[in-house]
Amino acid sequence: EVPVPLPGLGQVLVRVRAAGVNFSDTLFMQGKYNFNPPLPFTPGFEVAGEISELGPKVEGWKVGERVISLPGFGGYAEFVLSELQTLVRIPEEVDFKTAAAFPITYATSHLALKLKARLRPGETLMVHGASGGVGLTAVELGAAMGAIVIATASTAGKLEVARARGAAHLVNSAEPGLEKKVK
């Protein structure tokens, strides 16, 4: 047990209702991320919850608002401090679990496809591991951007999930001949 933190200037206290579980969290826990917090620490990079307390001079937010936050660490606790610039309001029709899983996966895919790859309509996008969080969001965003999406995954069930999210072509990566199937 640790005491509930008090929000400082430019911070709010968020009561965590759901937390995302990401590959980066597992790397932090193993001490293998490109930077690691000093021990002991509480993992949890992205959360969804309600603002339970406002820090001094915080304006534009109110107690009880449903928010997504990217605290970096601490999200696997009941309460976490969040900087104002990491907060996003959750629309009423979105539940906490969905909201908590949104920021990292979609931001990663968006940055990769739009800013790095500069994906254009009509181009072909091949997504390996299309059944995981980032893979599925890459399939969704690629299809929404007008790409022809080829999804790879290791089972028929996982491939059907990718098809439902927008994949035009499916390739089972557990079967031999992946390169020939893609050509």
Side-chain angles (χ1 to χ4, degrees), residues 106 119 123 125-127 130 135-152 158-170:
Y106 280 93
L119 186 65
E123 290 184 327
L125 169 66
M126 185 170 180
V127 179
L136 277 176
T137 59
V139 168
E140 286 181 351
L141 294 178
M145 294 168 71
I148 300 161
V149 179
I150 302 170
T152 73
K158 291 176 180 181
L159 288 169
E160 285 307 315
V161 171
R163 179 191 310 279
R165 299 287 182 96
H169 304 283
L170 309 174

Side-chain angles (χ1 to χ4, degrees), residues 6 41 62 73 75 78-79 83 90 92 113 150 180:
L6 296 173
F41 79 101
K62 60 185 178 190
F73 306 106
E78 293 177 69
F79 293 91
E83 303 293 327
I90 302 172
E92 284 302 317
L113 299 177
I150 302 170
K180 288 182 182 176

